[in-house]
Amino acid sequence: MDTVNQMYIEQLNEDEKNIIEQVLKGFESKRQGTSTSYVSAMYAMEHEFDGETLSITMPVTPIVYNSLGMMHGGITATAIDTAMGMLANKIAPSNKAAVTSQLNLHYTAPIYGGIVRAYAKIIHHGSKSMVIEGWIETDAGKRAAHATGSFYLIDKKQ
């Protein structure tokens, strides 16, 4: 590592060190195959599926803050879209992949720290598309956003 990088690293504050550690852990998670994408790895997303509802838990750390010190709306959308997309791909036929074709999102409360959980549940499953409901809750159980998404089924690359 060159001297400039070393000096920069030595000047990091605690939040910056934690962010870099989270990103590096994400890269390692993706490299080891425990995360399916860099997005889910970098934001430390973990998912559960009960056969009907898929949920993703995610820590709300400074890496996801906007300039107001709350979770950025785009990251909220990413968490919900990731949960809905994972669910769509879990139930898609094995030769198909589901991709988001529309996302409609309503923000209902700010998110400050803690852990959030994004949920996804099927509303409609057709032969070419799906409609999925998604929402995100704070660790106190307050709903912070609600979404519906349409997912188009495409042929998987061979």
Side-chain angles (χ1 to χ4, degrees):
M1 183 176 302
D2 66 28
T3 308
V4 173
N5 286 340
Q6 186 62 38
M7 286 176 25
Y8 182 76
I9 289 172
E10 290 171 359
Q11 295 174 5
L12 295 174
N13 66 36
E14 204 59 36
D15 278 346
E16 294 165 336
K17 288 177 185 175
N18 290 336
I19 288 169
I20 288 175
E21 182 180 356
Q22 182 175 341
V23 169
L24 292 174
K25 283 180 179 177
F27 277 115
E28 187 58 26
S29 175
K30 175 69 169 109
R31 181 179 289 159
Q32 291 180 2
T34 54
S35 292
T36 57
S37 72
Y38 286 111
V39 169
S40 61
M42 186 171 70
Y43 295 124
M45 295 178 177
E46 296 181 11
H47 77 279
E48 295 177 19
F49 181 55
D50 67 9
E52 185 175 318
T53 303
L54 187 133
S55 64
I56 290 178
T57 56
M58 178 181 136
V60 180
T61 64
I63 197 170
V64 303
Y65 291 170
N66 65 13
S67 61
L68 301 173
M70 67 179 82
M71 190 164 161
H72 189 286
I75 306 300
T76 301
T78 297
I80 293 173
D81 184 53
T82 299
M84 293 192 302
M86 285 180 113
L87 177 59
N89 280 290
K90 275 196 177 297
I91 65 167
S94 62
N95 64 333
K96 298 286 185 180
V99 295
T100 309
S101 59
Q102 182 180 8
L103 181 64
N104 185 19
L105 183 61
H106 301 274
Y107 299 94
T108 56
I111 301 170
Y112 296 101
I115 303 275
V116 292
R117 186 172 291 250
Y119 296 91
K121 195 171 191 172
I122 296 290
I123 295 174
H124 166 76
H125 184 287
S127 61
K128 295 180 182 176
S129 67
M130 293 181 215
V131 177
I132 300 176
E133 174 183 35
W135 64 96
I136 196 164
E137 294 179 357
T138 66
D139 53 2
K142 182 172 179 83
R143 190 171 290 207
H146 187 91
T148 55
S150 297
F151 291 79
Y152 187 69
L153 296 170
I154 60 172
D155 292 332
K156 281 187 179 176
K157 277 184 153 183
Q158 297 300 335

